[in-house]
Amino acid sequence: MTTLITSSLIGQTPLLNASGCKCDTKTKLTVLYTESLASGICSKSATPKHRSGNPDPRYWESPDGDLTINSMGLPNLGIEYYLDWYKSLGHPEKGGKWRCVSLAGLTLEDNLSMLDLIYNPLHGYYQYIDAIEWNLSCPNLSGHGILAYDLPAMDTYLQRLEARIHQLATPYHHTLTHILKLPPYFEPHHFTQVAACIRKYPVFTAVNTVNSIPNGLVIDPITETTVIHPKNGFGGIGGSVIKPTALANVRGLYLAFNNPDLPMTTSNSRKMIIIGTGGITSGLDVFEFILCGADLVSIGSQLMMEGPGCFARINQELCEIMQEKGYTGLEDFRGKLKTADSRLN
Ligand code: DHB
């Protein structure tokens, strides 16, 4: 099988699992890590302690597979479980699958305490992972809004996180990649504002866009009920129906981060890595995300429905499209979507 060389961060294909999908237990993580063709894996968004999440039914797939809705409520086995599993793999190898832990503390203090644990010298967990995905966009927690929709709050949050990351990581001269998982935005000026906010904090070198579209409602007209029950049936929407929104967010953030007018200091003039997520089911979808500017993509609903074999199929489809078009590497078309005008607003 042809393999694809992408950015130096990652190994071969641009495919990852989306956090939350087939990654909540050691058994599922082991399958993703050892048997799938993903080039990196991410564990289920974790909290400091185990949570059982919302009551069932909390996840639903449409019969034709184009739509999912979930209100899982962050069921996870607690951060130590995931860090212990990564540690059990030994040190990451150069060129191996990269390893990401997703954190979704309910408060800033929760997130800071998980960061403290990652850098605790007693365990040395930081040596066994490559990246942290900071989930600022979980839509399913009663009483908690989505932080990344409140830009002044997100600004303060990132400032506090960055300060603690520097404090903890500096003595080790060790760099993890810090990824921000974002919700979908719906206005062009939001892309500009979010990019400007993130640029202020150079430790964050990657974004993952988009999380599920929040607060959708799916109804079964026969039983006259909602298909999931927590939060009055409201939940995060995924599947191929969200692909246009996800493509727009990848494109919007790509243009915003690469806009020469965006305020930058020399310390943050680095390239922003963009992970595209939302509604990917095929190699053609991946091709479109990369055309919009994605460096990598992650697969959520399709992984839930098809299982980890989806990575090999999607990779093969992408290779075939590239061969047909005469492209030999992802850089040949990354970000090169043809439009009449490259400005955002
Ligand atoms: C959950 C859902 C999300 O979209 C997310 O990013 C994290 C957690 C959940 O409900 O478990």
Side-chain angles (χ1 to χ4, degrees):
M1 182 174 297
T2 319
T3 51
L4 300 169
I5 305 301
T6 177
S7 76
S8 57
L9 177 69
I10 318 296
Q12 297 175 335
T13 86
L15 310 179
L16 318 168
N17 72 295
S19 172
C21 300
K22 306 269 186 206
C23 61
D24 57 334
T25 65
K26 293 178 186 183
T27 310
K28 292 181 214 170
L29 283 162
T30 302
V31 171
L32 282 179
Y33 193 71
T34 60
E35 293 173 28
S36 86
L37 208 109
S39 61
I41 64 161
C42 189
S43 46
K44 169 72 184 167
S45 288
T47 49
K49 297 277 171 246
H50 165 277
R51 279 172 63 90
S52 42
N54 292 334
D56 286 323
R58 60 188 185 180
Y59 174 79
W60 180 88
E61 292 165 358
S62 65
D64 46 8
D66 60 347
L67 167 68
T68 62
I69 182 168
N70 86 82
S71 182
M72 306 300 287
L74 272 177
N76 77 92
L77 291 154
I79 182 63
E80 265 185 276
Y81 175 94
Y82 301 105
L83 292 172
D84 281 335
W85 179 74
Y86 280 122
K87 190 172 176 177
S88 76
L89 302 173
H91 287 280
E93 283 165 26
K94 215 174 172 348
K97 273 193 176 57
W98 69 275
R99 310 169 182 184
C100 178
V101 66
S102 174
L103 304 184
L106 270 50
T107 60
L108 174 64
E109 283 62 39
D110 274 1
N111 275 334
L112 294 176
S113 75
M114 290 191 280
L115 192 62
D116 288 348
L117 180 66
I118 288 170
Y119 281 104
N120 185 327
L122 212 59
H123 305 287
Y125 288 130
Y126 68 91
Q127 302 165 68
Y128 301 95
I129 57 175
D130 299 293
I132 298 177
E133 180 175 275
W134 297 96
N135 189 343
L136 308 182
S137 50
C138 177
N140 299 330
L141 299 166
S142 293
H144 292 260
I146 292 177
L147 178 73
Y149 281 154
D150 180 345
L151 281 190
M154 180 164 101
D155 193 304
T156 311
Y157 206 93
L158 297 185
Q159 190 179 14
R160 297 275 309 276
L161 276 184
E162 182 173 81
R164 185 72 72 96
I165 291 165
H166 281 316
Q167 184 194 346
L168 292 169
T170 304
Y172 298 114
H173 304 288
H174 187 87
T175 314
L176 294 174
T177 298
H178 293 275
I179 305 165
L180 298 173
K181 178 84 178 255
L182 300 174
Y185 295 97
F186 300 97
E187 295 261 31
H189 67 271
H190 289 154
F191 300 132
T192 314
Q193 289 168 355
V194 168
C197 173
I198 293 171
R199 276 280 189 224
K200 285 168 68 183
Y201 305 105
V203 83
F204 301 103
T205 54
V207 292
N208 186 335
T209 177
V210 295
N211 206 324
S212 52
I213 299 182
N215 297 309
L217 193 60
V218 179
I219 291 166
D220 177 351
I222 297 170
T223 58
E224 301 176 11
T225 60
T226 55
V227 296
I228 59 169
H229 289 179
K231 285 190 72 183
N232 289 321
F234 286 61
I237 302 293
S240 60
V241 296
I242 78 163
K243 191 182 84 169
T245 300
L247 285 174
N249 275 261
V250 168
R251 189 65 182 166
L253 288 173
Y254 177 82
L255 293 177
F257 280 120
N258 291 296
N259 178 352
D261 296 337
L262 191 69
M264 274 199 257
T265 65
T266 43
S267 65
N268 71 0
S269 60
R270 82 283 171 193
K271 173 184 156 53
M272 180 65 63
I273 295 166
I274 297 181
I275 304 172
T277 306
I280 295 173
T281 66
S282 67
L284 190 57
D285 293 335
V286 178
F287 180 78
E288 291 177 9
F289 273 77
I290 294 172
L291 211 49
C292 285
D295 295 283
L296 300 158
V297 298
S298 71
I299 321 279
S301 295
Q302 188 63 30
L303 170 59
M304 292 297 285
M305 293 183 270
E306 183 178 344
C310 71
F311 294 106
R313 175 185 62 75
I314 292 173
N315 181 62
Q316 184 59 30
E317 290 169 359
L318 178 60
C319 289
E320 285 164 14
I321 291 163
M322 287 174 61
Q323 263 154 20
E324 270 165 36
K325 287 177 173 278
Y327 291 138
T328 53
L330 303 179
E331 301 310 326
D332 291 351
F333 59 100
R334 175 171 289 129
K336 295 186 181 164
L337 180 67
K338 294 172 192 152
T339 54
D341 181 351
S342 65
R343 284 171 307 171
L344 253 182
N345 296 307

